[in-house]
């Protein structure tokens, strides 16, 4: 098996009202896992707005871990985006995951319609490496999978160097997307987004949010351990480790782990793939 697998983590920040201290314990734990970078999610809604920039700055300054700040454009104006970019630049952030964001009654499209518009604005601002999102099972609003691949190519041609994928549980979906994207001329790194199943409640919510399909192997695991949360968590983490090892056997060189701020998840998965990193 090949070595030098890139391994990154995703975390979410505390709300502004909770203060950055709330996440210090989590950040110590995540830093010990020594990822190549940590990405920090973004929430645009006023009530939910979190400390994305502050957490990224803290990770870089305290632990020397490169941070990728998520940024969504739905509901924002060009002016508000420029203010965010100014703030990020001042905070020493070098990389942004440029996203549209999910549309809600509060977050309708405004000045910027697609992530591609945000990417263009970040390009015009300068300063940042740009990451983009991709969808192994297709984006829920896309008329076809081919359309998604065309959008990946647009993002690629606008300068996206790395795609972080939506979570998926069947490697075939990611590998199919990779083959289609490569055939379409996408040259950016495709990092596979892996979310271990650690509880039945969590996975129901995530599947609802992402639209990810649960393949029969994972469904069997969920029903086998439906009354044993501890055993389900271990089985879910082992499933994720097997998933990553399977992807690496197929030549995948980059993994992005959705940690849900759970240090045990990050440690367990890292230990299970240590020989590949
Ligand atoms: P887009 O790329 O704009 O795609 C949205 C739809 O529009 C797709 O159907 C696409 O095919 C189509 N499309 C895109 N560009 C064009 C174009 N130029 N012309 C025509 N059609 C186009 N959400 C958050 O709120 N905060 C987060 O921190 C966050 N982190 C995420 C991290 C990852 C790795 C992923 C995969 C998703 C994340 N999301 C987050 C969710 C994301 O905001 C939603 O999936 C959203 O619905 C789409 O975002 P996008 O950037 O992929 O949008």
């Amino acid at each position: 098996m090949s070595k030098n697998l890139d391994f990154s983590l995703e975390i979410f920040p505390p709300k502004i009202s909770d203060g950055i201290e709330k996440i210090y314990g989590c950040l110590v734990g995540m830093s010990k896992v020594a990822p190549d970078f940590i990405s920090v999610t973004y929430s645009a809604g006023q009530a939910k707005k979190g400390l994305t920039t502050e957490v990224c700055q803290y990770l870089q300054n305290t632990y020397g871990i490169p941070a990728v700040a998520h940024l969504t454009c739905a509901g924002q104006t060009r002016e508000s985006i420029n203010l965010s970019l100014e703030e990020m630049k001042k905070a020493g952030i070098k990389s942004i995951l440029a996203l549209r964001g999910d549309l809600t009654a509060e977050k309708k499209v405004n000045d910027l319609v697609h992530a591609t518009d945000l990417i263009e604005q970040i390009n015009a601002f300068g300063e940042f490496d740009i990451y983009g999102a991709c969808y192994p099972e297709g984006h829920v609003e896309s008329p076809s999978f081919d359309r998604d691949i065309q959008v990946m190519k647009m993002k690629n041609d606008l300068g996206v160097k790395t795609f972080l994928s939506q979570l998926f549980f069947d490697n075939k979906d990611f590998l199919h997307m990779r083959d289609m994207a490569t055939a379409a001329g996408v040259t950016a790194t495709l990092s596979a987004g892996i979310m271990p199943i650690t509880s039945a409640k969590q996975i129901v919510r995530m599947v609802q949010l992402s639209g990810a399909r649960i393949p029969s192997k994972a469904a069997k695991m969920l029903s086998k351990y439906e009354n044993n949360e501890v055993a389900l968590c271990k089985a879910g983490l082992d499933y994720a480790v097997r998933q990553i090892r399977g992807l690496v056997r197929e030549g995948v060189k980059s993994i992005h782990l959705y940690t849900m701020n759970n240090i045990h998840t990050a440690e367990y998965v890292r230990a299970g793939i240590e020989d590949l990193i």
Side-chain angles (χ1 to χ4, degrees):
M1 262 192 210
S2 72
K3 283 226 174 212
N4 300 322
L5 180 68
D6 283 341
F7 180 59
S8 59
L9 305 177
E10 179 169 311
I11 61 171
F12 56 86
K15 284 189 205 154
I16 294 174
S17 52
D18 288 337
I20 192 169
E21 306 74 35
K22 185 161 186 216
I23 203 173
Y24 283 166
C26 169
L27 299 183
V28 178
M30 295 300 175
S31 71
K32 289 187 182 148
V33 174
D36 289 292
F37 67 83
I38 296 181
S39 82
V40 184
T41 64
Y42 182 85
S43 201
Q46 269 317 306
K48 289 197 202 146
K49 201 158 170 15
L51 295 162
T52 305
T53 302
E54 294 78 355
V55 171
C56 288
Q57 185 175 28
Y58 188 85
L59 276 170
Q60 296 193 151
N61 293 350
T62 311
Y63 301 110
I65 296 178
V68 175
H70 297 206
L71 179 63
T72 62
C73 61
Q76 308 236 38
T77 59
R78 291 203 176 274
E79 202 185 355
S80 66
I81 290 291
N82 263 341
L83 285 174
S84 296
L85 298 178
E86 282 295 350
E87 255 174 49
M88 289 178 179
K89 182 183 158 187
K90 266 194 216 134
I93 292 168
K94 303 266 182 270
S95 305
I96 296 177
L97 172 58
L99 298 153
R100 184 198 66 186
D102 284 323
L103 305 179
T104 61
E106 188 192 0
K107 272 194 295 161
K108 298 192 181 87
V109 288
N110 201 340
D111 286 0
L112 303 111
V113 179
H114 298 295
T116 42
D117 300 320
L118 177 60
I119 295 168
E120 278 173 343
Q121 188 170 340
I122 301 173
N123 272 337
F125 187 92
E127 311 282 342
F128 298 105
D129 289 334
I130 308 177
Y131 290 56
C134 64
Y135 299 85
E137 297 177 60
H139 184 265
V140 280
E141 293 163 38
S142 275
S144 67
F145 195 71
D146 284 347
R147 182 67 187 140
D148 267 2
I149 298 296
Q150 286 164 11
V151 168
M152 283 180 79
K153 179 70 164 65
M154 277 189 241
K155 292 181 182 177
N156 181 88
D157 293 350
L158 285 169
V160 165
K161 290 281 178 294
T162 304
F163 284 95
L164 303 181
S165 93
Q166 180 60 282
L167 61 98
F168 60 94
F169 299 105
D170 189 336
N171 286 355
K172 281 195 209 110
D173 292 322
F174 183 87
L175 297 171
H176 172 244
M177 180 193 70
R178 177 190 66 177
D179 292 347
M180 298 267 293
T182 306
V186 172
T187 51
T189 298
L190 306 185
S191 188
I194 301 294
M195 176 176 283
I197 296 173
T198 55
S199 86
K201 219 163 99 188
Q202 164 237 0
I203 213 59
V204 168
R205 197 175 125 67
M206 282 307 146
V207 165
Q208 270 168 0
L209 282 176
S210 67
R213 188 170 53 83
I214 301 269
S216 60
K217 261 189 198 165
K220 273 187 202 144
M221 177 184 81
L222 276 164
S223 71
K224 183 170 173 190
Y225 298 115
E226 68 183 333
N227 296 317
N228 187 341
E229 281 281 309
V230 176
L232 175 61
C233 179
K234 162 113 181 44
L237 288 166
D238 287 336
Y239 185 98
V241 168
R242 279 198 304 278
Q243 223 192 320
I244 296 172
R245 299 187 76 84
L247 288 165
V248 173
R249 274 198 300 277
E250 295 291 338
V252 173
K253 296 196 171 1
S254 184
I255 301 293
H256 189 60
L257 186 72
Y258 291 97
T259 69
M260 304 301 287
N261 290 13
N262 186 325
I263 299 166
H264 176 64
T265 294
E267 287 172 345
Y268 192 101
V269 171
R270 165 103 204 193
I273 58 170
E274 192 59 50
D275 57 318
L276 307 176
I277 294 177

